[in-house]
Amino acid sequence: MEASAARSSEGVEPPPFLIEKHRKYVLALQSKTDAFEYVVTEFLRMSGVYWGLTTMHLLSAGDQMDTEKIAEWVVKCQHESGGFGGSVGHDAHLLYTLSAVQILALLDRLDLLDYDKVAGYVASLQQADGSFAGDEWGEIDTRFSYCALSCLSLLGRKDQINVDKAVDFVLACMNFDGGFGCAPGAESHGGQIFCCVGALAIADALHHIRADELGWWLCERQLPGGGLNGRPEKLPDVCYSWWILSSLAMIRRLDWIDAEQLRLFILKAQDEIKGGIADRPGDEADVFHTFFGVC
C-alpha cells in the first residue's frame, strides 16, 4: 500500500495509509505490561511478538525494536523437548514453535537454535495417518500440518518427517467445493485453506489442488464492502485479507478479486488517532489485525 493512495473505483479518495501511527502503535505495546490485555494474552505472547516484529519490519522500522532482548526472551521459552511455549513457563506447542523459529529467522539469529532438537520435537508430533498433533495432548488440526512443514522448511529439516503422509492427510481434508477444513469432513474455512495450500506448497504438492474450484470459493469471500470473510454468511475481517489473498496467490488466481476495494476496506479499518488496524471499520485495533492488514 502507498501512503498517497489512488482514487477508488467509485471515485472516492481513500484514507491515507498511516505508516508512522502504526509504528508508534506497535512500539507502545512493548511498554503496556500492566494492561489487562497484556496479562490475559500471555498464553499467545510468542505469536504476538512475531506479529509486532514483522509489522515493524514491513514498515521499515525493524531497527526500532530491541532485537537482542527479543531473541533472549524467545530462547527462554524453549522446553527440553525442543519445542517452544507461548511465553516463559508455558507448555510447548507447534503454533508457538513456528512463531519462535520465524522470529529468530527474521532477526537472523537462527544460530541460537539446535536445529535437530527443534526438528525432533516437530517430528515427534506426526501421527500414523500423516497428521500432526499441536502438542503432547493430541489435538489434530490442519493448522499444525502447516506449522510443522513451515518450521522444518525454515530449518532445512523436512527429511525428519514423512512428507508424503503429511500430504495425504491434508488432501483427505479437501472438500467438494475445493476448499479445506481442519480435519477430514470439516467445513471449508479461509484460515484452514491457507494452512492446507501453504503446506502443500512447501511439500511441492500444489498439483493436487482443484485450483479453479478453490479459486471460486475464495473469490466468493469478497463482500460488497470490499472486505473478505472466512466462510459463507460471516462478516468481513481484515485478517482474511492475508489468508484468502495468500491462498489465491499460491494457486495463481490473485486477479479473481477486486484488489482496490479490498485495499479501501483495510484502510478504513485503521485507527486514525492511535494507529493500528481493527478487524473491520469502527472496531478496536489490535496487533493481530494490524499485522495482517499491513501484510
Side-chain angles (χ1 to χ4, degrees):
M1 297 180 184
E2 300 291 338
S4 55
R7 290 183 178 275
S8 73
S9 59
E10 296 180 352
V12 178
E13 190 73 28
F17 182 39
L18 306 173
I19 295 176
E20 191 54 41
K21 285 186 181 290
H22 298 326
R23 289 171 178 163
K24 291 179 179 179
Y25 169 78
V26 174
L27 283 173
L29 294 174
Q30 299 179 103
S31 60
K32 296 180 178 179
T33 56
D34 60 345
F36 174 77
E37 291 83 358
Y38 183 90
V39 175
V40 298
T41 57
E42 181 182 23
F43 72 97
L44 52 68
R45 181 130 313 127
M46 186 68 74
S47 293
V49 170
Y50 170 69
W51 300 328
L53 181 64
T54 305
T55 298
M56 292 297 280
H57 274 268
L58 291 171
L59 297 176
S60 302
D63 58 346
Q64 296 183 35
M65 304 290 280
D66 190 340
T67 56
E68 194 59 36
K69 184 177 180 181
I70 290 172
E72 290 175 0
W73 176 80
V74 169
V75 172
K76 290 179 182 177
C77 296
Q78 188 171 24
H79 284 241
E80 276 301 312
S81 63
F84 290 78
S87 190
V88 178
H90 287 236
D91 291 341
H93 195 286
L94 258 181
L95 290 172
Y96 307 122
T97 299
L98 173 59
S99 290
V101 171
Q102 289 173 318
I103 290 168
L104 294 177
L106 194 60
L107 298 177
D108 196 23
R109 292 308 311 273
L110 285 174
D111 59 290
L112 296 174
L113 291 178
D114 179 335
Y115 285 27
D116 291 329
K117 188 174 183 179
V118 179
Y121 169 76
V122 174
S124 74
L125 295 171
Q126 187 170 31
Q127 309 300 299
D129 64 355
S131 65
F132 284 84
D135 56 20
E136 62 180 304
W137 311 113
E139 180 189 6
I140 304 298
D141 191 306
T142 47
R143 289 178 299 157
F144 311 146
S145 296
Y146 170 75
C147 288
L149 281 159
S150 183
C151 186
L152 294 176
S153 179
L154 287 169
L155 298 174
R157 295 291 190 278
K158 282 194 296 181
D159 59 347
Q160 297 297 301
I161 62 169
N162 189 323
V163 176
D164 289 340
K165 279 197 169 184
V167 168
D168 288 342
F169 175 75
V170 171
L171 293 177
C173 300
M174 186 189 298
N175 291 319
F176 71 93
D177 52 18
F180 295 83
C182 61
E187 70 172 316
S188 296
H189 185 281
Q192 305 295 152
I193 288 172
F194 166 81
C195 290
C196 291
V197 175
L200 294 174
I202 294 169
D204 296 319
L206 282 176
H207 56 281
H208 292 294
I209 291 175
R210 303 197 302 273
D212 282 345
E213 289 179 33
L214 177 57
W216 276 115
W217 190 94
L218 290 168
C219 75
E220 287 176 345
R221 304 280 61 76
Q222 188 160 38
L223 301 177
L228 302 167
N229 63 16
R231 50 194 167 126
E233 304 303 322
K234 295 295 182 178
L235 293 173
D237 190 315
V238 164
C239 70
Y240 291 108
S241 305
W242 169 259
W243 307 123
I244 302 296
L245 276 184
S246 297
S247 300
L248 285 168
M250 285 186 279
I251 63 172
R252 302 181 186 279
R253 302 293 189 281
L254 198 53
D255 59 341
W256 284 22
I257 65 162
D258 187 330
E260 189 58 34
Q261 287 301 306
L262 174 59
R263 183 169 169 273
L264 183 60
F265 173 79
I266 297 171
L267 290 171
K268 287 181 177 178
Q270 297 177 109
D271 186 320
E272 297 181 358
I273 298 174
K274 296 182 295 184
I277 301 173
D279 57 350
R280 60 187 61 89
D283 285 355
E284 189 73 17
D286 59 69
V287 69
F288 176 82
H289 291 94
T290 300
F291 165 66
F292 288 113
V294 170
C295 282

